[in-house]
Amino acid sequence: MKVHSFSVGPVVGAVAPRRVRILGVMPTASLVAGEKKALGRIRWRREGEHHWRGPKHFRINGNFDSSGVVVLSELEPGCRYQFQAGWVSDSAVADTALQWDGADDGTFRTSPLDEKAPARFLFGSCCYRFVGPDREVEDARADRVFATMAGVAEHEPTDFVMFGGDQVYADATWRLAAASTQQHYFDLYRQSFGQPNIKRLMSRYNQHMILDDHEIENNWPARADADLWTSKYPAAIKAYQIYQASHSPAVPLNDAGTRLDRDPDALWYRFRWGCADFFMMDLRTERVLSRWPWQKRITSKAQEQAVLEWLNTEPDRIKCLVSSVPLFPEQRWPFRGNDAWEGFRGQRQRLLEGIRDAGCRRVLVLSGDVHASLYARLDARGRAPVHAWICSGLFWPTALMAFRWYRPMIRDQHSLRGLSRLSMGKVSVPGEVHSRDAFSRIVLDDNGASLTAYDRHGEPLPQVGREIQW
């Protein structure tokens, strides 16, 4: 029996030294709601080996858009693996009867045990795809950047790929044809993640993702009301959990670590790779909006406390905070808004004080959202600098060029205000602001950080990037 290719995936997700999660999605409506069958198949081997291990069977769930996540365990740390994965039409078919020529090929790398190993990864955000009135993605231009990213990864050692938000645009044409039902969001992900180049990239490198506003709607939850909270929001989040969160550490595993156990308690999560600790922040689903500045929150109290605990755990390690919206710099008036951290000064002040109090001296904040790429730095007397790298967007059309950050819009050499403190330090933007499509390659090691921006053709942009010495 033929092993068929997945419609979306296989998406290689989070890894540990001895474990990996991989998502696969069958064609639309392959299973109806409530139907669950062990139709998924995967076999794997270490790179250089000839004998396949497996195959392992895994469950496809009709409640989750005919998708399934398989967990491979008992792997070797710091090793690269090959795999083949797909689905079969009969769960009872014998393993010896499987024909693998139609299955998807992929690779992944388990994380190293060496806590001094560098972390080398690609980073980007904001991939706009035009969605027509019929809710069909009518634009293949966005998919080209993923072929370029794969080309860079093939020539430069790459451990994983990280996406910092707006991986899909549920409101690509504002309210016209915006996704609003569960099927709308499912179809959006299937079309976006099913394009050939992103499908290939996601099957060959470990992926880490976190959402921003356009996974739900622009500037969420700025215009949210009771109807949107109970209709649009649950639909958007269920689709996000299936396609972006299910293969991440946000979703807990069972005690044996062999399968997904239940829905996530929160969408933010932590992971580590070699010398660096990462915290993927959820800055959209826990916001509290208020006319009173001291009541506003960009995250819940629980997430804020988790970040502070993370900073205080082994504070001498590299701390990489992934914030979908910029922590700094701020925009000049009249461009200034309240959607990023500048609209939540009380919580931003507590975060920066937490970095100081923990004694962290190697902190890098990664952000997207603003459709521009730049390096910024926060300096305060008697403290180590906090570095910020903003890289966005992967694809943003010329027709929407007004919706980008440009150098004249950004405050440089300015004092960063808190809520109760006039200055948290001085922000500088020493390099060029690249207001065109870009992605980046980041290398973190004990000596410093290398931030390299690439244009959509894969050409380095040295005037934008930065070499940091801790």
Side-chain angles (χ1 to χ4, degrees):
M1 178 176 287
K2 183 176 182 179
V3 180
H4 300 276
S5 173
F6 286 119
S7 296
V8 174
V11 179
V12 179
V15 298
R18 302 186 184 279
R19 184 169 56 236
V20 65
R21 310 180 192 209
I22 299 175
L23 166 71
V25 186
M26 290 176 63
T28 301
S30 294
L31 300 179
V32 299
E35 193 175 12
K36 304 172 186 178
K37 293 183 178 180
L39 299 177
R41 296 291 185 274
I42 186 170
R43 63 180 186 174
W44 66 99
R45 63 188 178 190
R46 279 184 59 175
E47 202 168 60
E49 292 181 345
H50 299 288
H51 176 70
W52 289 103
R53 307 178 196 184
K56 182 172 183 176
H57 304 191
F58 61 100
R59 187 175 70 179
I60 305 296
N61 194 332
N63 294 327
F64 300 114
D65 200 24
S66 301
S67 71
V69 174
V70 60
V71 179
L72 302 182
S73 54
E74 299 182 5
L75 304 173
E76 295 297 319
C79 292
R80 193 162 185 82
Y81 284 81
Q82 301 169 332
F83 70 88
Q84 290 183 305
W87 60 274
V88 296
S89 55
D90 181 2
S91 61
V93 62
D95 292 342
T96 54
L98 296 178
Q99 300 171 9
W100 291 90
D101 53 303
D104 295 295
D105 297 316
T107 61
F108 62 85
R109 184 188 299 276
T110 53
S111 57
L113 292 176
D114 181 4
E115 295 193 348
K116 298 293 185 180
R120 306 160 298 186
F121 59 100
L122 302 184
F123 174 72
S125 65
C126 304
C127 189
Y128 178 96
R129 301 171 183 86
F130 179 78
V131 178
D134 57 355
R135 294 194 172 86
E136 293 291 321
V137 173
E138 299 177 359
D139 195 346
R141 292 175 298 169
D143 194 48
R144 297 172 190 165
V145 71
F146 301 109
T148 306
M149 293 174 73
V152 170
E154 287 172 6
H155 292 93
E156 299 286 351
T158 301
D159 298 314
F160 56 89
V161 177
M162 180 181 290
F163 294 111
D166 295 342
Q167 280 71 258
V168 297
Y169 275 72
D171 53 352
T173 49
W174 189 220
R175 297 185 187 180
L176 176 66
S180 59
T181 69
Q182 189 68 85
Q183 195 58 51
H184 291 166
Y185 282 98
F186 284 169
D187 291 344
L188 175 67
Y189 274 101
R190 283 181 170 274
Q191 293 180 67
S192 300
F193 284 9
Q195 291 183 311
N197 292 325
I198 191 172
K199 190 174 189 289
R200 193 173 303 112
L201 180 71
M202 288 182 171
S203 69
R204 281 163 169 72
Y205 299 93
N206 313 346
Q207 307 289 315
H208 284 282
M209 310 175 185
I210 197 64
L211 82 168
D212 198 28
D213 53 339
H214 290 286
E215 273 86 357
I216 309 169
E217 70 167 30
N218 185 48
N219 288 346
W220 181 266
R223 74 177 194 99
D225 56 19
D227 178 60
L228 293 177
W229 275 114
T230 56
S231 59
K232 171 176 278 201
Y233 177 75
I237 293 303
K238 182 172 183 177
Y240 173 80
Q241 288 184 2
I242 293 169
Y243 286 93
Q244 297 199 55
S246 64
H247 48 81
S248 81
V251 178
L253 301 178
N254 64 346
D255 291 339
T258 57
R259 59 174 174 80
L260 303 189
D261 188 46
R262 53 185 169 80
D263 287 343
D265 298 319
L267 299 181
W268 46 268
Y269 65 90
R270 294 153 290 203
F271 73 98
R272 66 166 49 193
W273 188 285
C275 63
D277 296 337
F278 296 82
F279 196 112
M280 307 287 284
M281 299 189 76
D282 170 14
L283 302 182
R284 286 297 168 184
T285 72
E286 299 180 348
R287 291 191 178 204
V288 175
L289 304 183
S290 172
R291 61 182 294 187
W292 307 111
W294 57 87
Q295 293 180 343
K296 296 177 68 175
R297 304 190 66 90
I298 196 169
T299 74
S300 65
K301 292 181 180 179
Q303 184 177 174
E304 180 180 340
Q305 184 60 37
V307 171
L308 296 178
E309 291 175 358
W310 171 78
L311 289 168
N312 280 279
T313 301
E314 299 180 84
D316 291 335
R317 285 175 56 82
I318 298 169
K319 299 292 182 177
C320 188
L321 189 66
V322 183
S323 164
S324 59
V325 297
L327 185 64
F328 58 84
E330 296 182 346
Q331 296 186 86
R332 298 181 188 274
W333 185 91
F335 307 105
R336 193 172 302 164
N338 293 314
D339 186 62
W341 282 91
E342 61 190 286
F344 301 84
R345 288 181 175 173
Q347 207 163 19
R348 181 173 66 180
Q349 176 178 321
R350 293 195 297 273
L351 173 59
L352 292 172
E353 290 174 341
I355 293 172
R356 176 200 65 193
D357 295 343
C360 298
R361 304 189 61 83
R362 301 188 291 179
V363 178
L364 175 64
V365 183
L366 301 180
S367 301
D369 184 58
V370 299
H371 315 135
S373 298
L374 62 112
Y375 166 78
R377 171 177 169 143
L378 176 66
D379 289 286
R381 184 177 300 174
R383 307 180 202 170
V386 177
H387 305 275
W389 176 245
I390 300 170
C391 189
S392 167
L394 292 166
F395 178 72
W396 190 250
T398 304
L400 299 177
M401 289 293 285
F403 301 96
R404 286 188 183 272
W405 271 17
Y406 296 91
R407 182 83 196 202
M409 300 167 59
I410 300 170
R411 299 181 69 196
D412 191 5
Q413 300 295 327
H414 73 91
S415 180
L416 192 71
R417 291 189 58 185
L419 182 63
S420 60
R421 295 182 59 181
L422 290 178
S423 178
M424 302 299 299
K426 188 175 184 178
V427 174
S428 59
V429 184
E432 183 176 303
V433 176
H434 181 72
S435 302
R436 293 291 187 273
D437 296 344
F439 64 94
S440 57
R441 180 173 181 269
I442 299 171
V443 179
L444 305 176
D445 60 32
D446 277 346
N447 296 319
S450 176
L451 312 174
T452 305
Y454 294 85
D455 67 16
R456 63 180 181 175
H457 304 295
E459 294 297 324
L461 301 167
Q463 69 276 19
V464 182
R466 198 75 175 177
E467 296 294 326
I468 299 169
Q469 298 298 315
W470 303 123

